[in-house]
Amino acid sequence: MQNGALGEARAKAFLMDRFWILERSVDIDGADLIIQRRLTSQNLLDKNPPKLGFVQVKFYETEKTCHYIPKAYIIDNQGNLRDEFFLLCHTGYEENSQIFFLTSEMIISDFEIVVQSEIEKYSLSGAKIFRNKKYLVQSNANTLSRIESKLALADFKRNREFISWKLPMTVSDSKAILPDYNEPLANSWGHIPNEFQKIKENALNAMKEIETIYLDLKPIAEEIDPLEAFTKIEILDGELGSSTYGHWGRDVMQSLYDENFYYTCKAHKDKVEILRSDGLLDKFIKIKEFLKRNVSEFLCQNLPIDANTVHSVIIEFTDDFEIISTNHNLIPASQYFNVPNELNRFGHVEISSSDYRGIKEISDRRFEYYWLAGRIHVDEKYKNVLQEFYRETDFWIYNDCLDKMYELKY
């Protein structure tokens, strides 16, 4: 323990000239330090997020001492070298003290793997380290610069995954309680230390469950394809549906799984792939901008539009999504729907809300779109600038027409 504390103190003194020391955790062999480069006037303008280094500290009393580093510290699950891992080996006392510095690259190339308790570890003997001068720190500044350079190479995403894995977890003595509560005073409820121990054990068990579900949820949070995320969610659904997680598990699943969103994503991706394979994706996307200009121009020329007026537009297009023509008309709603021209208390001709907009197919490349263009809520800020409102608003007509054109072609 004394040697471990001495090694940690020396490592901190060595690193603090160039780095902030953010975290520490102690194992039986040494201390783990998490470091971040200090901000200076030279690097203050660096826009890249700071990468963190993981420094393991070992103290060698003699060259016969042998320490072990788990392989997982040196290489990740994909076989990539961890550029953010460093080893500082300390030995000697007072004037005879020395520091040896090893990177993950040095460890993997110079040392052998052994198996301890079914865990693969690199065996680092003091004799092999002390007798090779390439490990000896002869210039603090140069060694610290090498750490900075290696950190710059580290992949940010993998760096954060590694560091989060190594951050120390909460360790609790479930029997620990203030001495006052151990005083043998009678009460009508029960034995306070025993009951408090049960509470703490329940909390620790819950933490283990949370850690398990965290590891299951992490791939979903990191996924970039919604459909792949849903595959992971469905796998997780069976586990969260068990009695292990109860109502909390069901609440989590309800927050993750939305069937409508899934089918929306699937339809969107299928549509993109079909249009792209036919070389029509960009043309199809540009149709919306054309419709927005064409429709808004017609509406702006006829403002204000009465709430009982139907805007009808007949659109004809080619097989490769070129607009051949658009024919606009404004028609009284009573005439268009063949209903009595009688106004209700809101001043509207009675029309079912389902008829506020719709599409009538004319041929395989021609259709009519109709909607009550004047029966639209206009925000107060647009009351005196209706043209701006009709030009800027993304009305249903644009997406509805795009969907119909896609449907007619495919």
Side-chain angles (χ1 to χ4, degrees):
M1 289 180 65
Q2 181 176 328
N3 286 338
L6 184 58
E8 181 185 346
R10 290 183 186 178
K12 285 184 174 180
F14 172 74
L15 293 165
M16 285 176 67
D17 283 337
R18 193 78 62 91
F19 300 95
W20 283 318
I21 297 174
L22 306 179
E23 286 283 353
R24 71 181 293 279
S25 63
V26 178
D27 60 32
I28 194 169
D29 297 313
D32 300 336
L33 305 176
I34 294 175
I35 61 172
Q36 178 187 323
R37 181 183 58 173
R38 283 180 177 273
L39 292 178
T40 66
S41 57
Q42 285 75 34
N43 63 38
L44 189 60
L45 299 178
D46 187 353
K47 300 299 183 184
N48 296 317
K51 295 166 186 172
L52 306 178
F54 181 77
V55 181
Q56 185 150 111
V57 183
K58 303 293 187 186
F59 191 94
Y60 287 79
E61 191 162 13
T62 70
E63 65 176 30
K64 294 180 180 179
T65 305
C66 186
H67 287 297
Y68 300 90
I69 304 287
K71 181 183 176 182
Y73 287 22
I74 312 299
I75 304 171
D76 67 15
N77 292 333
Q78 287 73 45
N80 300 308
L81 204 63
R82 296 196 190 276
D83 290 312
E84 61 270 70
F85 178 84
F86 310 97
L87 176 66
L88 288 179
C89 302
H90 298 268
T91 189
Y93 300 94
E94 299 179 359
E95 289 85 357
N96 297 318
S97 64
Q98 290 180 307
I99 305 176
F100 297 85
F101 170 72
L102 290 83
T103 63
S104 54
E105 189 175 9
M106 291 176 180
I107 293 172
I108 195 173
S109 63
D110 297 349
F111 296 88
E112 296 180 351
I113 291 179
V114 297
V115 178
Q116 289 187 335
S117 302
E118 301 182 355
I119 298 174
E120 290 185 301
K121 297 181 180 182
Y122 283 94
S123 174
L124 295 98
S125 71
K128 191 168 184 177
I129 294 174
F130 297 168
R131 293 173 187 177
N132 196 326
K133 288 188 177 181
K134 74 175 182 179
Y135 306 131
L136 180 64
V137 173
Q138 301 183 54
S139 166
N140 287 9
N142 289 344
T143 302
L144 293 171
S145 294
R146 291 185 188 108
I147 296 177
E148 279 193 315
S149 298
K150 293 289 285 184
L151 281 182
L153 294 175
D155 176 83
F156 180 75
K157 182 172 176 290
R158 289 195 295 112
N159 176 258
R160 284 300 190 265
E161 288 176 350
F162 178 49
I163 297 301
S164 64
W165 170 59
K166 279 306 301 169
L167 284 172
M169 293 184 61
T170 301
V171 177
S172 174
D173 177 2
S174 61
K175 294 183 179 180
I177 191 170
L178 281 175
D180 285 357
Y181 295 100
N182 277 313
E183 296 295 341
L185 300 179
N187 67 73
S188 59
W189 187 80
H191 190 260
I192 292 176
N194 288 348
E195 296 304 320
F196 187 51
Q197 181 180 351
K198 291 178 184 177
I199 291 174
K200 295 176 74 172
E201 288 173 349
N202 288 339
L204 288 169
N205 289 333
M207 287 171 62
K208 291 176 184 177
E209 288 189 8
I210 290 171
E211 182 181 10
T212 300
I213 189 61
Y214 167 83
L215 294 174
D216 288 332
L217 291 171
K218 188 169 179 284
I220 298 171
E222 294 174 347
E223 181 58 63
I224 60 175
D225 184 340
L227 297 182
E228 291 297 323
F230 273 101
T231 299
K232 294 180 173 71
I233 291 169
E234 287 175 344
I235 294 172
L236 185 59
D237 188 21
E239 300 173 11
L240 288 182
S242 68
S243 58
T244 304
Y245 294 104
H247 291 298
W248 179 80
R250 300 314 310 160
D251 289 342
V252 171
M253 284 310 305
Q254 288 174 10
S255 71
L256 294 178
Y257 193 85
D258 186 323
E259 188 174 357
N260 292 330
F261 180 66
Y262 169 80
Y263 286 111
T264 298
C265 291
K266 189 176 187 309
H268 178 92
K269 190 172 183 180
D270 290 344
K271 187 181 290 188
V272 169
E273 290 176 350
I274 290 171
L275 289 168
R276 182 181 288 129
S277 66
D278 288 347
L280 295 173
L281 181 59
D282 289 337
K283 274 192 172 183
F284 186 76
I285 292 171
K286 287 179 181 178
I287 291 174
K288 184 172 182 177
E289 290 305 314
F290 170 83
L291 288 175
K292 287 187 75 169
R293 290 194 304 272
N294 184 270
V295 171
S296 63
E297 182 180 345
F298 173 80
L299 295 176
C300 287
Q301 291 172 356
N302 291 277
L303 292 176
I305 298 174
D306 187 79
N308 298 311
T309 298
V310 172
H311 171 218
S312 164
V313 55
I314 296 175
I315 298 174
E316 186 174 3
F317 63 100
T318 66
D319 196 53
D320 59 352
F321 294 123
E322 294 285 348
I323 301 293
I324 297 174
S325 65
T326 57
N327 184 19
H328 299 271
N329 284 290
L330 293 176
I331 307 167
S334 58
Q335 176 184 329
Y336 189 88
F337 293 108
N338 193 26
V339 296
N341 189 23
E342 298 176 359
L343 305 184
N344 61 19
R345 61 193 180 95
F346 301 107
H348 293 169
V349 172
E350 287 289 353
I351 298 168
S352 171
S353 59
S354 62
D355 289 330
Y356 275 23
R357 73 178 201 268
I359 294 177
K360 296 177 181 178
E361 190 174 322
I362 301 172
S363 67
D364 59 352
R365 294 293 179 268
R366 195 162 179 255
F367 63 92
E368 177 195 5
Y369 186 89
Y370 66 88
W371 64 310
L372 290 163
R375 202 171 291 189
I376 301 291
H377 172 71
V378 181
D379 193 276
E380 193 65 35
K381 67 178 181 180
Y382 288 110
K383 292 293 185 182
N384 298 319
V385 283
L386 279 179
Q387 288 194 358
E388 186 178 340
F389 170 74
Y390 277 92
R391 286 197 179 100
E392 293 183 358
T393 305
D394 191 12
F395 294 116
W396 279 101
I397 180 173
Y398 309 127
N399 292 324
D400 287 347
C401 287
L402 281 174
D403 289 342
K404 187 61 180 179
M405 292 170 74
Y406 182 86
E407 176 194 323
L408 288 173
K409 176 172 173 60
Y410 293 105

